[in-house]
Amino acid sequence: LVDFFFDDKQTILIINTYKGVIYVFLTALLIFYLISNLLKKVDYTESKLNESYDELSAANEELQACVQQLTASEEELRNQYDSIVEYDKKLSQSEQNFRNLFEHSSDSIFLIENHKIINCNNATVKMLGYDSRDFIIGKDLLAFSKEKQPNGTFSREILLDKLTQCTKLGKTQFEWWYCKKDGTLVANDIMMTAITLNQEEIVYVVCRDITYRKEMEERLQYISYHDRLTDLYNRRYFEKELARLDT
């Protein structure tokens, strides 16, 4: 096209030179534009990467904090488990000690729940004259007592009153006469204590045989009011009776 309009080679050379310059300039502009856009994209991508890195760092810190909390919780659970195991061992040992004390005590011991005997030791079986505790467990305490105590009071009234005292005060103590299998009366010093066993409220009863002591007391009282030679009432007895009549 340049050769068509211009015949002068010098002019054609100049035009072609300008064309080359313009071409280079336009090419440079295009390259600059492309590089600028590319750099912007690189900056944007780098900014996003930095944001993602910050988010990952925050998530990593949060994850580390969760791991630390889980580790602390695991350690706490382990300590609690060890404490439970240790408590269970102590509880088992305490139960074993209680059972040994219950079974091998020389005093008669039994447990009452809802006025029924739910367990007793061998000393109780021996005291009441039976061959097995199966004859005792499940029965009311009144099944092994006379209708009235030696002082004339109904056994049921005394027992209900003492059980009520034990429930309110936690414990009570009194004398009680049991009736053995053969009908023999046995005097006991009773200590009732309200306890919790296996999450149940029961009464723990310890009975100490005082029959021999009561016999000695009666014997001493008899001797103190009777003449040793004639076995008749002595002066002390008559003085006591006169004083009683005067009052």
Side-chain angles (χ1 to χ4, degrees):
L1 183 65
V2 174
D3 292 340
F4 179 80
F5 288 103
F6 298 98
D7 295 331
D8 186 15
K9 293 182 178 180
Q10 184 68 28
T11 303
I12 294 173
L13 179 63
I14 292 172
I15 292 173
N16 288 331
T17 300
Y18 278 111
K19 284 172 56 181
V21 171
I22 293 171
Y23 178 77
V24 171
F25 178 74
L26 291 175
T27 303
L29 286 176
L30 179 61
I31 293 174
F32 176 78
Y33 174 76
L34 293 174
I35 292 175
S36 296
N37 286 337
L38 180 62
L39 290 175
K40 288 181 180 178
K41 291 181 179 179
V42 170
D43 289 339
Y44 178 77
T45 303
E46 184 178 3
S47 175
K48 289 295 183 181
L49 287 174
N50 289 333
E51 291 178 1
S52 299
Y53 177 77
D54 293 338
E55 291 177 358
L56 287 174
S57 298
N60 185 52
E61 291 178 357
E62 184 177 355
L63 181 61
Q64 288 180 350
C66 290
V67 170
Q68 291 177 353
Q69 291 179 354
L70 287 174
T71 303
S73 298
E74 182 181 5
E75 184 66 24
E76 184 179 358
L77 287 174
R78 186 179 293 109
N79 292 334
Q80 290 179 355
Y81 175 76
D82 293 340
S83 298
I84 291 174
V85 171
E86 183 65 23
Y87 175 77
D88 186 63
K89 289 180 180 178
K90 291 181 178 179
L91 182 61
S92 298
Q93 184 62 45
S94 177
E95 290 178 352
Q96 185 62 39
N97 292 338
F98 175 80
R99 183 168 296 277
N100 289 335
L101 178 63
F102 180 82
E103 293 294 344
H104 300 100
S105 174
S106 59
D107 292 328
S108 301
I109 302 176
F110 50 86
L111 308 178
I112 295 178
E113 184 179 15
N114 297 325
H115 296 189
K116 300 293 183 181
I117 299 173
I118 61 174
N119 200 1
C120 66
N121 63 355
N122 292 327
T124 303
V125 177
K126 182 179 179 181
M127 178 190 70
L128 295 177
Y130 288 91
D131 299 325
S132 170
R133 67 184 69 188
D134 294 336
F135 295 98
I136 302 174
I137 294 176
K139 294 183 179 179
D140 194 296
L141 187 62
L142 294 171
F144 309 101
S145 308
K146 292 289 188 180
E147 183 180 4
K148 293 183 179 181
Q149 292 293 297
N151 61 3
T153 307
F154 284 99
S155 297
R156 179 176 296 275
E157 294 180 1
I158 298 176
L159 182 60
L160 292 178
D161 179 63
K162 296 304 179 181
L163 286 172
T164 302
Q165 285 185 18
C166 183
T167 302
K168 291 182 178 180
L169 304 177
K171 62 181 179 179
T172 187
Q173 186 174 7
F174 58 98
E175 288 187 2
W176 185 264
W177 289 79
Y178 289 106
C179 182
K180 298 176 64 173
K181 181 181 179 182
D182 61 5
T184 305
L185 294 179
V186 183
N188 273 256
D189 182 39
I190 306 294
M191 172 61 77
M192 285 184 172
T193 306
I195 65 172
T196 301
L197 184 64
N198 297 327
Q199 299 181 347
E200 297 291 339
E201 298 296 328
I202 65 174
V203 178
Y204 183 82
V205 185
V206 180
C207 310
R208 176 155 296 179
D209 191 339
I210 58 171
T211 304
Y212 180 76
R213 191 188 79 188
K214 298 296 290 186
E215 290 176 351
M216 291 297 101
E217 289 177 355
E218 291 178 2
R219 180 60 181 167
L220 289 174
Q221 185 177 15
Y222 181 87
I223 293 174
S224 64
Y225 291 118
H226 289 77
D227 184 79
R228 293 186 179 182
L229 296 177
T230 63
D231 203 29
L232 298 175
Y233 289 119
N234 58 17
R235 178 178 179 180
R236 183 180 180 186
Y237 172 80
F238 289 110
E239 290 176 349
K240 179 182 178 183
E241 285 300 307
L242 289 173
R244 183 177 65 84
L245 292 174
D246 290 339
T247 58

